[in-house]
Amino acid sequence: MVANGCSERPGGESTKANKGSKRDETVSGAAMRRTTKKAGLSSEAREAKDMIRKETGIIYDPHMVKHQCLWDPNYPECPDRFSKVLERCEALGLLSRCTKINPREATEAEILTKHSPQLLEILKATEGVHDEDFLEKLSSKYDSIYVHPDTYQQSLIAVGSAIELVNAVCGKKIQNGMAIIRPPGHHAMKNEFCGYCFFNNVALAANHALEQGGISRILIVDWDVHHGQATQQMFYEDPRVVYFSIHRYEHGTFWPNLCESDYHYVGEGRGKGYNFNIPLNQTKMSDADYLAVFQQVLLPMAVEFGPDLVIVSAGYDSALGDEKGEMEVTPTCYAHMLSSLLQLANGKVVVVLEGGYCLKSLAEGAALTLRCLLGDPCPYLPKLPPPCDSIQDTILNVIYAHREYWQCFQFQDTYNLKSEPQDPVLCSVKSDGTVDADETKDDEELDTVARHLPVVKYLGSEERPESYLTRDCYPIQDKEFQKELDAKLNILITNTKLTFAPNKVCLVYDERMMKHKNAPEPSHPEKPERISTIYFRHEEYGLLERCHRLKVVDSVLNGESQSGIAIVRPPGHHAEEDEPCGFCVFNTVSIAAKYAVEVHRLKRVLLVDWDVHHGNGSQHTFESDPRVLYLSLHRYDNGSFFPGSPDANYTVVGSGAGAGFNVNIPWNKHGMTDADYIAAFHRIVLPICYEFAPELVLISAGFDAAVGDPLGGCKVTPEAYGHLTHWLSALANGRVILSLEGGYNVTSISYAMTLCTKALLGDPLPMLQPRLAPCPSAVTTIKNVIRVHSKYWSSLKFDLALPKENVLPDAELSQKTEPFGNTNDMESFKIKGEGNDSSYVNANVITEISNNVPFQSPTELKGSYMLPASPTNEVMPNSMAKLNLDESSSPVKSDEVLHSSQCLVSMKEQTKSLESPMELSEDSSNFMVSSVSSLEGENQVWSQISSTSASESLEMITDNVSSFEFTTKAENEDNPLGSSLVSLPIQECKANIPKVSETDINFPTLYSNPRNIDANSNLQIRTNTFKTSPKLVAEGQVNLTSQADELIRKAADREENRPGSSREPDAGGSSVGGSGASGSPGQPQNLVDYLSDNLQLLLTGQMHAVIPLPSCPHLDAVREVPARGLDVQSPCMECGSVIENWVCLVCYTVHCGRYINGHMIEHGIETTHPLTLSFSDLSVWCYVCEAYVDNEAFYQAKNAVHRSKFGEDMPYAYGD
């Protein structure tokens, strides 16, 4: 019988756990133990029973060799490209393992969905024409084109084949498939042939899936070395399609030489944020560079997007040896890139051949791609070199351009171009992860956070000649160079082992392990049912007959089985070399790792431990052994979570030769979700693992972070565990073994381990929930781990700060397709001006209808519906004097004028998905409306508003609204981000105002002030922000119009870089008119001036008091103010924000308030520091007491802030 928790010495002192035993956690977790059998589990996990891998489809037409250049036999786009691919696939026995899909010609109607009738007719007229001079002359009108008498028919077959393959996948006839077709298609534009392409095969197939295949979201990944500008153009305004292209660019000097191929072209209208360009600005990019793009950009975005279908535009001209691409991607790398995508979209993946002109590398790369589709393990990829500096720049540029649209790109710190020095060092980060913003010493204990400045550089030319060359217009390698390349490719191909084991998965289970139980305490969480339930779940899902039954490690390493599952107990990863601990007697996985290293002579073994508890025993076993990389994701809670040892922190990296080979990813709060674990995998686990290049992967598969676990307190779903397993299965030639550790909700662990087995068997997995985002605490942990381990792993080189300002130029396509969506109804959204003029508005009216709903940034708003974009994209002129919604045409009829520069009505959150990457795009051409539901989720306010009169509509909209808030941005060369927030009371004075008309609140006058406030201002309707006196307004003592004008004028004239705020502070009280830094250096503003500037707020009752507690039990926590004092201009340590910052009175670090990114709240939770001081209004909040406190103990800190803010000491108000 095993003792509960850790073993004890005779004196009763625990030898390992100093923070309570693992068993003790069940006491505080009593509520979670009351979960029912299926509590918290998604239906997807249960429905995965019927998700079994289908066949892989293949489609091609032998007649495609007919298309060739009649006047130049050496033309690169030649029939051998097609035949050599088929020959290699046949030689590897791949074609016979596929389901053959019959090709067909596309119909003219299908072609016309993305191409013009004129283009179709031009190519159609060449069918059967053998006049070579005519065909060459016609070809010379287009860039890199030749036309053959059979080109039209073969182009139709290429499109039809792509559509048929997509139909077969969407119709669930096959699992996935590959179209080996030509001519290629991704350069073919709506009105123009281009780049060997006539009709856009992928774009037409994708459009067919959207319109007729029941698909709503498509991810197109284009890894051809040339930018698929035509595919980009065809979906540039379509939020249903993410187009992701990795291509050689060299700042526009590489074909197709377009400015629009650069990273800052992110889409337009409703498609803004959905277009990704990854421009490669140097040649010889390697596997490491391409995989870095996948890990840092593509995979995080793809998981957040949640596509229903993945289409790969598979060009192989970035492969080693291609004379056009001049890159060095190996054939094996293509399999790894594709493998990472195979579990997206329930496994619905279609690969369509594009370019590739080195026949040997093309054939090998395409064959390994098909092999991957068939479910064969990815060939072993040797240790990768560091990603090059150029790819670092590109990846950071792309993240910068897209971070406002995607939640997954919020890891980089930010900096202010104006207020911070141009030195690349932002701050110093100590080895323990703490930051000292003032430390500049050269110390080996300090690392630095460097910063990156995105630059757009275009060196190409978009001038078009009257005619194009039709022969001898391509690079030619000299014969000696070709000979060297051929020899290199032969060696590479010969050394790539393409064998795989006869058994996909080996499974171990022994009923004798059921005998281990705690007889005196039958309710002990480590009980026999843990393994029996997993076994029976495997049996229910029909997996036992699909698995081999042998000793796992020997079976895998001897080549009998590809991977293994060990359903074993008791768990092992807490067991030390000399004593048991935490339900563990012997350290099963550590023994297996040592066996692999010492008996099977493996040089590199990866041990991934995702049990919610840190595997202290496993870490201690290998902490100085560089042969075993131990990587643990666990709950830590700043050392208070079992096993309660500082060894579990991210600062512990191993010792001696093993330094850097111990990677801890410690979560410091409960409730971690799929998004947190997936973010850690993409940002840390996969980059390090690929750089390490293991020969065997062992997983300490504890499932106590799963939904409903009584000990873990986290929320990871079974399907997430399946996806993590799949990503790891690409390593080590697929040699992956999972061994059960913890997990104490028998239902959760049975589903979780079953889905891991299905992942190893190659079955499709349930889709992850889209639009998930890691929590701030997880982001902090991940950044800390990266900063500590970047010195050991070159793949972690992307943690550079990015500027807060927009430094990118405007991006407009040279050719544009029709805007997505029906624009026939746009008349209903026009706003009428004086006279008969009308224009589409670009306004920002945010309406929040629920009490206690804080202002949400565009990244936080949920459940909105985006209406069609304006076809004209015109911006309302500031000079328009009066505006009102045209009641005859607008769905919202109102006597109230809400004027600004972008119109948005945001109401209470519903769960419907948004057609935007981050729930709400800030695109200026969109009029957005989000639905409002009652508490029962049935009645929609929007439908009520649209059916009522103008006055009734105003009443409904303002029913729970207490004030208008104006956020005005006054941009100038010295203050690019300046802003102020002012408020107008509405709700309490509404009953005393007979009618509010356009002249009562004359919003256009707000833009006539001398500082020329920009049209990017936000008008918000907020709930219960301030209380005011309706009597003052009713009696005419306060005029809303003059008050608005006065406040806006004063806000614009205040000191620069003063982002004013009248929103509620972090802790639930109110503060008015404050800011992160209301005074600017050299122009201090005293308190009298400040109150004078805000006199109207005092008169209207908007500036009011909160009575603080005179004391609290936590005053002893206050520490001395640092000698350097306090600076209200200091940015938030995590995100760099200078708006609504607070300073901790214990450690004096600065963090932003909850209405920005909530980093001060996160700091309070993680450090348990109780007291924090607001830079806005000098109030102090106690997190423990949950109240404001004002005491003499705070005077020193308050005075330091007061001096920074107003340039003088704060009056002492605490007696003598």
Side-chain angles (χ1 to χ4, degrees), residues 486-539:
D486 196 57
K488 190 173 182 179
L489 284 169
N490 286 337
I491 294 173
L492 188 65
I493 292 170
T494 301
N495 291 339
T496 301
K497 295 181 180 180
L498 300 180
T499 57
F500 54 90
N503 303 300
K504 194 80 172 175
V505 178
C506 171
L507 184 144
V508 166
Y509 172 80
D510 193 325
E511 287 187 356
R512 289 176 293 180
M513 290 182 284
M514 297 282 291
K515 295 180 180 180
H516 173 66
K517 61 181 69 175
N518 190 323
E521 188 180 0
S523 63
H524 192 284
E526 209 295 283
K527 53 191 176 184
E529 291 80 7
R530 293 178 61 243
I531 59 171
S532 61
T533 306
I534 293 174
Y535 184 82
F536 292 142
R537 190 74 65 204
H538 278 66
E539 185 176 43

XYZ file of all heavy atoms in Angstrom, residues 486-539:
446
model
N 22.449 17.928 -58.193
C 21.884 16.600 -58.389
C 22.504 15.600 -57.414
O 21.803 14.765 -56.824
C 22.132 16.155 -59.839
C 21.262 14.979 -60.226
O 20.026 15.107 -60.113
O 21.822 13.937 -60.625
N 23.825 15.709 -57.231
C 24.499 14.818 -56.289
C 24.012 15.067 -54.860
O 23.800 14.123 -54.085
C 26.006 15.010 -56.388
N 23.848 16.327 -54.521
C 23.376 16.678 -53.178
C 21.968 16.155 -52.937
O 21.659 15.610 -51.871
C 23.422 18.201 -53.010
C 23.187 18.687 -51.597
C 23.417 20.186 -51.501
C 23.235 20.682 -50.074
N 23.475 22.140 -49.965
N 21.112 16.283 -53.944
C 19.741 15.785 -53.815
C 19.720 14.268 -53.700
O 18.928 13.698 -52.942
C 18.903 16.254 -55.003
C 18.454 17.718 -54.976
C 17.875 18.124 -56.321
C 17.424 17.944 -53.873
N 20.575 13.610 -54.456
C 20.624 12.149 -54.387
C 20.997 11.675 -52.989
O 20.410 10.715 -52.464
C 21.619 11.600 -55.414
C 21.078 11.675 -56.832
O 19.871 11.728 -57.037
N 21.977 11.706 -57.806
N 21.979 12.335 -52.399
C 22.386 11.974 -51.034
C 21.234 12.219 -50.062
O 20.935 11.398 -49.182
C 23.637 12.767 -50.622
C 24.838 12.353 -51.476
C 23.929 12.573 -49.136
C 26.078 13.190 -51.252
N 20.587 13.369 -50.210
C 19.480 13.720 -49.326
C 18.350 12.705 -49.436
O 17.796 12.238 -48.423
C 18.973 15.122 -49.678
C 17.933 15.740 -48.746
C 18.524 15.977 -47.372
C 17.422 17.055 -49.329
N 18.012 12.340 -50.668
C 16.918 11.390 -50.886
C 17.289 10.011 -50.363
O 16.480 9.319 -49.720
C 16.554 11.342 -52.384
C 15.936 12.681 -52.807
C 15.601 10.195 -52.677
C 15.771 12.831 -54.310
N 18.525 9.594 -50.615
C 18.975 8.269 -50.164
C 18.981 8.161 -48.647
O 18.620 7.112 -48.082
C 20.383 7.972 -50.713
O 20.352 8.033 -52.137
C 20.852 6.587 -50.279
N 19.372 9.233 -47.970
C 19.478 9.204 -46.505
C 18.148 9.442 -45.797
O 18.086 9.374 -44.564
C 20.499 10.240 -46.036
C 21.917 9.860 -46.427
O 22.206 8.697 -46.683
N 22.800 10.847 -46.485
N 17.110 9.756 -46.556
C 15.794 9.961 -45.942
C 15.077 8.616 -45.848
O 14.701 8.026 -46.865
C 14.951 10.943 -46.773
O 15.637 12.197 -46.862
C 13.594 11.162 -46.122
N 14.931 8.121 -44.646
C 14.288 6.828 -44.443
C 12.772 6.978 -44.529
O 12.171 7.734 -43.767
C 14.688 6.255 -43.084
C 16.177 5.934 -42.980
C 16.520 5.337 -41.628
C 18.002 5.016 -41.535
N 18.373 4.436 -40.218
N 12.184 6.259 -45.455
C 10.745 6.342 -45.683
C 10.027 5.083 -45.219
O 8.909 4.800 -45.648
C 10.465 6.599 -47.166
C 11.053 7.898 -47.729
C 10.717 8.053 -49.202
C 10.575 9.108 -46.944
N 10.649 4.335 -44.349
C 10.011 3.133 -43.818
C 9.069 3.513 -42.682
O 9.196 4.573 -42.061
C 11.062 2.153 -43.291
O 11.863 2.818 -42.300
C 11.974 1.690 -44.425
N 8.133 2.634 -42.396
C 7.268 2.827 -41.241
C 6.874 1.464 -40.699
O 6.898 0.452 -41.402
C 6.030 3.663 -41.581
C 5.223 3.144 -42.735
C 4.185 2.228 -42.547
C 5.490 3.567 -44.033
C 3.452 1.746 -43.615
C 4.746 3.105 -45.103
C 3.724 2.183 -44.894
N 6.548 1.431 -39.425
C 6.278 0.171 -38.738
C 4.967 -0.441 -39.223
O 4.043 0.265 -39.627
C 6.218 0.422 -37.235
N 4.865 -1.753 -39.155
C 3.622 -2.417 -39.589
C 2.432 -2.118 -38.689
O 1.281 -2.176 -39.134
C 3.994 -3.909 -39.551
C 5.146 -4.002 -38.604
C 5.905 -2.713 -38.771
N 2.702 -1.798 -37.428
C 1.623 -1.504 -36.485
C 1.623 -0.010 -36.164
O 2.646 0.536 -35.775
C 1.794 -2.305 -35.202
C 1.844 -3.798 -35.462
O 0.904 -4.378 -35.991
N 2.966 -4.418 -35.107
N 0.484 0.607 -36.350
C 0.391 2.045 -36.136
C 0.586 2.411 -34.669
O 1.327 3.329 -34.327
C -0.969 2.548 -36.627
C -1.093 4.043 -36.772
C -0.475 4.520 -38.045
C -0.767 5.996 -38.282
N -0.057 6.492 -39.470
N -0.090 1.693 -33.766
C -0.032 2.000 -32.337
C 0.072 0.703 -31.555
O -0.624 -0.274 -31.836
C -1.287 2.783 -31.878
C -1.233 3.046 -30.374
C -1.418 4.101 -32.633
N 0.940 0.692 -30.561
C 1.057 -0.407 -29.607
C 0.429 0.043 -28.285
O 0.650 1.174 -27.839
C 2.527 -0.762 -29.411
S 2.842 -1.919 -28.073
N -0.370 -0.827 -27.665
C -1.069 -0.462 -26.428
C -0.745 -1.457 -25.330
O -0.741 -2.672 -25.558
C -2.578 -0.408 -26.678
C -3.464 0.061 -25.519
C -4.635 0.886 -26.044
C -4.000 -1.132 -24.710
N -0.485 -0.946 -24.139
C -0.199 -1.778 -22.978
C -1.235 -1.512 -21.894
O -1.511 -0.352 -21.555
C 1.218 -1.502 -22.431
C 1.382 -2.109 -21.049
C 2.255 -2.079 -23.350
N -1.821 -2.609 -21.377
C -2.767 -2.523 -20.264
C -2.762 -3.877 -19.558
O -2.787 -4.927 -20.202
C -4.167 -2.194 -20.762
C -5.238 -2.268 -19.705
C -5.432 -1.229 -18.822
C -6.065 -3.394 -19.582
C -6.413 -1.291 -17.842
C -7.048 -3.471 -18.620
C -7.212 -2.411 -17.743
O -8.182 -2.468 -16.780
N -2.707 -3.860 -18.241
C -2.680 -5.098 -17.470
C -3.662 -4.952 -16.317
O -3.526 -4.052 -15.475
C -1.266 -5.364 -16.950
C -1.102 -6.776 -16.407
O -2.062 -7.310 -15.826
O 0.001 -7.333 -16.574
N -4.631 -5.862 -16.241
C -5.656 -5.790 -15.205
C -5.072 -5.929 -13.804
O -5.698 -5.517 -12.822
C -6.706 -6.869 -15.442
C -7.626 -6.583 -16.623
C -8.745 -7.598 -16.719
O -8.757 -8.554 -15.917
O -9.615 -7.433 -17.589
N -3.900 -6.514 -13.700
C -3.296 -6.678 -12.375
C -3.015 -5.331 -11.715
O -2.902 -5.252 -10.485
C -2.004 -7.492 -12.493
C -2.253 -8.977 -12.808
C -0.944 -9.718 -13.009
N -0.259 -9.269 -14.206
C 0.916 -9.763 -14.624
N 1.530 -10.702 -13.910
N 1.472 -9.315 -15.727
N -2.912 -4.269 -12.535
C -2.697 -2.935 -11.948
C -3.936 -2.438 -11.197
O -3.854 -1.465 -10.445
C -2.303 -1.947 -13.046
C -0.909 -2.185 -13.606
S -0.410 -0.985 -14.863
C -1.339 -1.555 -16.271
N -5.065 -3.114 -11.392
C -6.274 -2.737 -10.664
C -6.175 -3.092 -9.176
O -6.917 -2.552 -8.352
C -7.477 -3.461 -11.269
C -7.784 -3.098 -12.710
S -8.622 -1.515 -12.834
C -10.209 -1.914 -12.111
N -5.268 -3.978 -8.839
C -5.167 -4.422 -7.453
C -4.590 -3.350 -6.539
O -4.778 -3.404 -5.316
C -4.304 -5.681 -7.384
C -4.905 -6.877 -8.103
C -3.992 -8.086 -8.001
C -4.591 -9.294 -8.732
N -3.704 -10.482 -8.635
N -3.896 -2.409 -7.094
C -3.310 -1.328 -6.290
C -4.417 -0.359 -5.895
O -5.004 0.320 -6.744
C -2.235 -0.613 -7.106
C -1.687 0.615 -6.441
N -0.961 0.575 -5.280
C -1.765 1.931 -6.801
C -0.609 1.800 -4.945
N -1.086 2.636 -5.846
N -4.753 -0.313 -4.603
C -5.840 0.558 -4.137
C -5.617 0.913 -2.678
O -4.857 0.263 -1.959
C -7.193 -0.118 -4.318
C -7.356 -1.411 -3.545
C -8.720 -2.029 -3.788
C -8.841 -2.543 -5.213
N -10.121 -3.267 -5.430
N -6.303 1.959 -2.245
C -6.239 2.397 -0.847
C -7.451 1.825 -0.130
O -8.544 2.381 -0.163
C -6.232 3.930 -0.794
C -5.922 4.455 0.592
O -6.338 3.884 1.596
N -5.186 5.550 0.645
N -7.266 0.682 0.513
C -8.379 -0.020 1.150
C -9.054 0.798 2.244
O -10.288 0.841 2.324
C -7.897 -1.366 1.689
N -8.288 1.484 3.115
C -8.964 2.257 4.174
C -9.739 3.455 3.632
O -10.626 3.961 4.317
C -7.807 2.724 5.064
C -6.663 1.827 4.745
C -6.829 1.478 3.304
N -9.406 3.911 2.430
C -10.062 5.114 1.899
C -10.459 4.871 0.437
O -9.747 5.263 -0.483
C -9.136 6.316 1.997
C -9.819 7.625 1.645
C -8.875 8.820 1.758
O -7.700 8.624 2.113
O -9.319 9.938 1.473
N -11.606 4.233 0.208
C -12.017 3.897 -1.166
C -12.196 5.112 -2.070
O -12.126 4.999 -3.289
C -13.357 3.162 -0.965
C -13.335 2.719 0.469
C -12.542 3.737 1.216
N -12.402 6.295 -1.469
C -12.625 7.501 -2.280
C -11.331 8.184 -2.700
O -11.364 9.262 -3.293
C -13.488 8.495 -1.501
O -12.825 8.929 -0.313
N -10.208 7.581 -2.374
C -8.922 8.162 -2.753
C -8.909 8.419 -4.261
O -9.310 7.566 -5.060
C -7.787 7.207 -2.367
C -6.435 7.830 -2.465
N -5.795 8.046 -3.669
C -5.588 8.288 -1.500
C -4.618 8.600 -3.448
N -4.462 8.762 -2.133
N -8.453 9.612 -4.697
C -8.553 9.950 -6.132
C -7.714 9.051 -7.035
O -8.089 8.815 -8.193
C -8.056 11.396 -6.195
C -7.289 11.609 -4.924
C -7.928 10.740 -3.905
N -6.596 8.502 -6.559
C -5.791 7.612 -7.396
C -6.341 6.195 -7.228
O -5.839 5.386 -6.459
C -4.317 7.697 -6.987
C -3.338 7.420 -8.134
C -3.413 5.997 -8.655
O -2.884 5.106 -7.995
O -4.031 5.791 -9.726
N -7.387 5.908 -7.975
C -8.136 4.669 -7.788
C -8.074 3.801 -9.039
O -7.744 4.276 -10.139
C -9.589 5.008 -7.452
C -10.255 5.954 -8.436
C -11.587 6.450 -7.898
C -12.217 7.479 -8.835
N -13.458 8.044 -8.277
N -8.379 2.516 -8.904
C -8.261 1.588 -10.031
C -9.108 1.969 -11.238
O -8.722 1.702 -12.384
C -8.720 0.250 -9.435
C -8.470 0.382 -7.962
C -8.719 1.828 -7.646
N -10.236 2.607 -10.988
C -11.125 2.952 -12.104
C -10.481 3.913 -13.099
O -10.969 4.047 -14.223
C -12.427 3.560 -11.570
C -13.337 2.601 -10.836
C -12.897 2.354 -9.404
O -11.942 3.043 -8.943
O -13.478 1.483 -8.746
N -9.429 4.554 -12.696
C -8.739 5.469 -13.610
C -8.318 4.737 -14.886
O -8.475 5.251 -15.992
C -7.516 6.101 -12.950
C -7.835 7.044 -11.796
C -6.566 7.602 -11.157
N -5.800 8.363 -12.116
C -4.573 8.052 -12.516
N -3.971 6.972 -12.037
N -3.942 8.805 -13.389
N -7.732 3.576 -14.744
C -7.242 2.887 -15.939
C -8.318 2.026 -16.583
O -8.359 1.876 -17.809
C -5.982 2.055 -15.641
C -6.252 0.993 -14.570
C -4.834 2.956 -15.218
C -5.104 0.003 -14.397
N -9.208 1.449 -15.766
C -10.237 0.590 -16.367
C -11.190 1.400 -17.230
O -11.627 0.944 -18.297
C -11.014 -0.154 -15.273
O -11.670 0.748 -14.400
N -11.493 2.620 -16.810
C -12.385 3.464 -17.606
C -11.723 3.850 -18.923
O -12.385 3.884 -19.975
C -12.758 4.732 -16.817
O -13.284 4.372 -15.553
C -13.801 5.541 -17.576
N -10.430 4.141 -18.893
C -9.715 4.451 -20.136
C -9.734 3.254 -21.071
O -9.994 3.376 -22.279
C -8.261 4.864 -19.826
C -8.222 6.194 -19.068
C -7.442 4.967 -21.109
C -6.833 6.596 -18.599
N -9.487 2.070 -20.511
C -9.465 0.861 -21.333
C -10.837 0.603 -21.972
O -10.935 0.319 -23.169
C -9.048 -0.328 -20.466
C -8.903 -1.622 -21.239
C -7.733 -1.902 -21.937
C -9.931 -2.566 -21.259
C -7.586 -3.077 -22.650
C -9.807 -3.748 -21.965
C -8.635 -4.002 -22.656
O -8.493 -5.171 -23.363
N -11.887 0.723 -21.176
C -13.230 0.475 -21.709
C -13.613 1.539 -22.743
O -14.343 1.239 -23.688
C -14.255 0.439 -20.567
C -14.079 -0.741 -19.659
C -14.260 -0.617 -18.286
C -13.723 -1.985 -20.168
C -14.081 -1.701 -17.447
C -13.556 -3.083 -19.325
C -13.736 -2.942 -17.964
N -13.122 2.777 -22.556
C -13.413 3.815 -23.556
C -12.732 3.467 -24.879
O -13.309 3.649 -25.950
C -12.946 5.176 -23.060
C -13.424 6.333 -23.914
C -14.910 6.617 -23.690
N -15.143 7.072 -22.335
C -16.308 6.968 -21.686
N -17.340 6.394 -22.298
N -16.437 7.400 -20.442
N -11.514 2.962 -24.814
C -10.836 2.515 -26.027
C -11.622 1.389 -26.701
O -11.730 1.344 -27.930
C -9.412 2.034 -25.702
C -8.407 3.133 -25.599
N -8.439 4.091 -24.603
C -7.329 3.446 -26.378
C -7.423 4.920 -24.760
N -6.734 4.555 -25.837
N -12.155 0.523 -25.874
C -12.940 -0.585 -26.427
C -14.223 -0.071 -27.074
O -14.607 -0.497 -28.171
C -13.265 -1.580 -25.308
C -13.982 -2.840 -25.785
C -14.195 -3.822 -24.637
O -14.586 -3.372 -23.531
O -13.989 -5.024 -24.844
